[in-house]
Amino acid sequence: MSSKQDQCRHWILWVFCYLVGSGCSVIPKGAADLDVGIKERGIASWYGGGFNGQPTASGEIYDMEALTGAHRTLPLGTVLKVTNAENGRQVQVRINDRGPYVNGRIVDLSYAAARRLGMIENGTSAVQL
């Protein structure tokens, strides 16, 4: 009877390990680097005419009418949803440059993105990324 109990214990242990192991892979393979839900709050600014036509950190030419932005650390090519905390307007931008280089600011936006957020006149705005 001892060998039958051992077989039963092995079977239970195997099922337990299978169930625990299969429950550990909630995020699909290759998608573990997604930053879904991570938020950053701070001040955004925008840059326009003086930089238009100049190369960005990604190597592409800055187009002030494109929905792009500059961030210090996010990978180039990251698509970022920016919400203006003052009026609730939102825009999606693609990070193609580095900056801002002014203390206290978390993102520099293209003229087009800033226009959509309604922050052209003030030059800066409180935002959430």
Side-chain angles (χ1 to χ4, degrees), residues 54-124:
Q54 300 298 314
T56 63
S58 67
E60 70 183 86
I61 301 301
Y62 175 66
D63 177 1
M64 62 188 264
E65 293 301 329
L67 297 176
T68 58
H71 192 276
R72 288 186 190 98
T73 59
L74 286 174
L76 297 173
T78 298
V79 176
L80 188 65
K81 181 169 80 171
V82 182
T83 303
N84 185 330
E86 297 170 12
N87 61 23
R89 293 183 185 178
Q90 297 180 339
V91 66
Q92 283 192 340
V93 298
R94 183 177 44 81
I95 299 301
N96 71 341
D97 206 359
R98 291 294 174 217
Y101 297 109
V102 175
N103 285 336
R105 297 186 188 171
I106 61 170
V107 69
D108 265 339
L109 301 170
S110 66
Y111 178 81
R115 185 176 58 231
R116 287 206 186 172
L117 291 175
M119 57 178 276
I120 296 295
E121 282 187 34
N122 292 338
T124 62

